[in-house]
Amino acid sequence: MRTVVIWGGRPLQGKVKCDGAKNAALPIMVGAILAQDVSKISNIPRLADVDTMVALLRAVGAKVRLDGDEVEIEPAERLSKEAPYDLVRRMRASFLIMGPLLVRCREASVPLPGGCAIGQRPVDLHLKGFQAMGAEISIDRGYVHARARKLKGAGIYLDVPSVGATENIMMAATLADGETIIENAAQEPEVVDLANFLNSMGAEVRGAGTSRIRISGVKELRGTKYAIIPDRIEAATYLVAGAITRGKVLVENVIPTHLKSVIAKLQECGCNVLEGAKSIEIQLGTRPAPANVKTLPYPGFPTDVQAPFMSLCSISTGTSIISETVFENRFGHAEELRRMGAKIRIEGPNAVVEGVPQLTGARVQASDLRAGAALCLAGLSAEGVTEVTGMEHVERGYASFLTKLRGLGASISVIDPGINRASGFLNTT
Ligand code: EPZ
């Protein structure tokens, strides 16, 4: 398990640039196999999850060339209909290949992605959509098998505005016969980015960003050139880093309108937030005020910012109530924050966070990428030294995380796995 050591108590100052959005890059990369020829996609973040997606696309036969922040994807004439188990297990977003394979190969076999640290993560709504479009679905020995000679447009109501289900169904519908309407669709900016990408390939997707998306099937899609939107969750993470360390941080390469709910909450905590055209600057010279937060589908407060925000509330001047309504088990970081002196009580979907003047450094364990980032932010604010283990989770979703934090003045090092722990001596690089 990769571990970092953080020396806390230093206000972060300076500029940090966001990369392309992980949660836009992953569906868009897989959507590229819907086309007959090459697509060039830029502003791709260099992340472990992107590498996994490259491996997955190659495994089904696509030619993929990743060079810097640009990826070239050329779908093969004949794609393999089966996605490898180890890749889907490693990254749930691999399940997004189901829709494109089903419509390109007329059948698809994709392992059921298991649950993860934050919840069961079912895919029933994805399958409900494919069935509504005429696919025969069966589940056998942990694989979902789908078959359809030709998908037909259908009206599909999503019980939950699932990002993944909206994206999977949207991709399949681009080459189906007739019109598909997705009701109660997810409205996240990453869904809109995927729709814009598909339309740049010749698809006819209308209404992305609203709860009702209409897709008129077309005969074929052509390769395109496209640039991914900036990562709003990465941006939010660095804004919280500036606030929790009582520093002053300018986050560049962002789309401020994607962060309305986060900015509003940071201002409620007493932060001074300045919005530019493509940047947001945050400053906080004191302990934050408490704020109640409820995570909701976009445009509500993002569940992916809940953990970093809990770290901030841990040192507030009062009591905050954080309600997690999207995932059923996304408070794993609370236990670890308590080891750093935070006063947090979990009551069902709510975390009651009573602010303390200062956290103290401790050895803590990351359970998922956003929890890991939250623990690093807590360590940056804490008195003394914090060790965060499980940083491989963080590297899945944050490109150059340590470099960017060091660029803001953080004192953070990677522990060499070969250290002699008996002596407690840390060889840090
Ligand atoms: C996407 O996951 C993101 N991942 C997640 O980001 C993000 O937290 C989540 O959306 C919510 O915004 C990517 O885009 C790759 P959902 P996804 O389907 O699509 C339930 C991160 O940290 N549900 O919108 O898997 C589900 O159980 C990751 O970057 C069903 O019940 O999320 C959950 O409670 C973590 N049936 C809720 O919907 C289904 O068929 C939202 O899940 C599908 C989902």
Side-chain angles (χ1 to χ4, degrees), residues 211-246:
S211 62
R212 188 170 196 269
I213 302 179
R214 289 171 51 205
I215 306 109
S216 304
V218 295
K219 284 275 167 284
E220 68 171 30
L221 298 175
R222 312 296 312 170
T224 184
K225 274 173 76 74
Y226 194 80
I228 303 283
I229 56 169
D231 194 319
R232 63 191 168 102
I233 307 299
E234 183 189 20
T237 306
Y238 290 112
L239 289 173
V240 173
I244 202 171
T245 58
R246 303 189 198 181

Side-chain angles (χ1 to χ4, degrees), residues 236-258:
T237 306
Y238 290 112
L239 289 173
V240 173
I244 202 171
T245 58
R246 303 189 198 181
K248 181 176 179 180
V249 170
L250 176 67
V251 181
E252 297 180 310
N253 190 30
V254 300
I255 300 175
T257 53
H258 289 169

Side-chain angles (χ1 to χ4, degrees), residues 369-401:
L369 72 155
R370 308 304 175 185
L375 294 172
C376 289
L377 300 191
L380 290 169
S381 152
E383 177 272 323
V385 179
T386 297
E387 276 187 34
V388 182
T389 305
M391 285 300 289
E392 54 282 2
H393 289 294
V394 179
E395 286 152 8
R396 287 187 53 182
Y398 291 93
S400 318
F401 188 58

Side-chain angles (χ1 to χ4, degrees), residues 39 42 45 59 99 111 155 193 195 210 245 325 381 384 389 399 404 416 425:
S39 288
S42 58
D193 212 24
T210 74
T245 58
T325 74
S381 152
T389 305
K404 290 185 179 183
D416 173 339
F425 181 75

